[in-house]
Amino acid sequence: MMLDKILKEFSSPFYLYDEDKIKDKINFLNNLELEFPRKFNFAVKANPNLAILSLIHRCGFGAEVVSAGELFKSLKAGFEPENIIFDGPGKTDFDLKYAITQKIHSINVENIEEVEFINDYSLSKGLKTNIGIRINPDIDGSTMDKITTGLSGGKFGISIDQIDFDTISNLEGVNLKTLSVHIGSQIIDYQKLLSSYENLIKIADEQNLKENIDIDTLDFGGGFAVLDHSDKEINFDSWKNNCNKLLGGKNFNIIFEPGRFIVADSCELISKVLYIKNSGNKKIAIIDCSFSEYIRPALYDIKPPIEVSNNSKDVETYDIAGGICESTDYFIKDVELPKIKVGDNIVFKNVGAYGSSMSSTYNSRPRPLEVLFNKDEYRVIRSRDTLEDLCKNEII
Ligand code: LLP
């Protein structure tokens, strides 16, 4: 088996990706019978590894970025500027200047002041920059509080009553082409997504009645769920039929920005049990991973699906903990597993999205190795940080 083979060569912890699973997800979306012009732009924040980005680019996707770093990596991985969208509620001058000079598809603003900056800088460079406005639709995505982004009172997007479309469309340095929306991540209820799309269509239709406004692109964001403890997902059949209904007879180019859906289930994080500790009435397996390598359980209280490498018939109840000196550094508590021995591998599933991308070097732990396999071939797509890497950029 692939994992056994790789474990002979590399020590844990490492992220292990299956190329076919990423391609399957991309093909699934590409083959949905959507009856309107559309493009999928991968949300790079879900996984910015260059090899993953390059694979996704080769499958015909564009990219959605939220920082100069993500833009740089996307360009490096091969995405064409005209297939890149820049989102984010806190773009710096540096982010904006870089995005403007690269002439990307659209900078979607989330603050009115961004428009002014983009206009002035573009004019100073003799450019006219395509922009979008991210609307805050005040729609609850009915997902976890920590990843909901569509509600009024939140920091995302701009409320419609704050936007002076006429002034923006009269500016010489910007070209308002897009409206965008993204109401959150891990969305199961496709009706919520549709409400946010419908809201955007209505605003665009209204504005397009004006002589000097021509919004031709609607960016519907991402959000398709891949849950950690259930197979429930968006009902894509109904979603697709309703999208077709909503957009029939309209003339918009549609953009979707899926991140998690493309990569989440393509990847496992392989760890090893270092110690088994009896503490009070608990049995705690301490592993060679921590929230530095995979923070989602500690940050969002999700219970990651896990597997143990042995097939012992005896079952015991464990807490699985990392080695960080903090009491939140647990992956899961009170989980029944085949009896664990020191040296067993514990495998976390569904970690391809917001796994490696949210890892850190806290406690000066090297960021882990990443390996990509395709059928029976595999290769390293990120080497483990060395101890010297941990000192890079620091000056005594
Ligand atoms: N577009 C925009 C503007 C976004 O902010 C996001 C994600 C996406 C697209 C992609 O959403 P997706 O399709 O992946 O749901 N770290 C959290 C998820 C944060 C999502 C942030 N924005 C987690 O691990 O659950």
Side-chain angles (χ1 to χ4, degrees), residues 289-309:
C289 268
S290 67
F291 72 52
S292 292
E293 289 78 20
Y294 186 50
I295 200 173
R296 295 187 66 248
L299 197 57
Y300 307 119
D301 289 331
I302 55 121
K303 294 190 180 11
I306 56 180
E307 264 175 19
V308 180
S309 59

Side-chain angles (χ1 to χ4, degrees), residues 41-46 64-66 85-89 108 110 134 144 146-149 156 180-187 219-226 228 256-263 294-296 299-300 302 353-355 357-358:
N41 283 39
F42 176 64
V44 170
K45 63 177 84 60
E64 180 262 353
V65 305
V66 293
I85 288 171
F86 205 125
D87 288 326
N108 293 340
E110 302 202 27
R134 176 166 171 184
M144 296 143 68
K146 286 183 179 169
I147 51 176
T148 200
T149 56
F156 299 99
S180 76
V181 70
H182 173 78
I183 59 169
S185 204
Q186 291 289 41
I187 293 177
D219 175 347
F220 287 158
F224 306 142
V226 184
D228 288 288
F256 297 102
E257 301 172 344
R260 186 190 316 267
F261 183 75
I262 305 301
V263 285
Y294 186 50
I295 200 173
R296 295 187 66 248
L299 197 57
Y300 307 119
I302 55 121
Y354 309 106
S357 69
M358 293 181 78

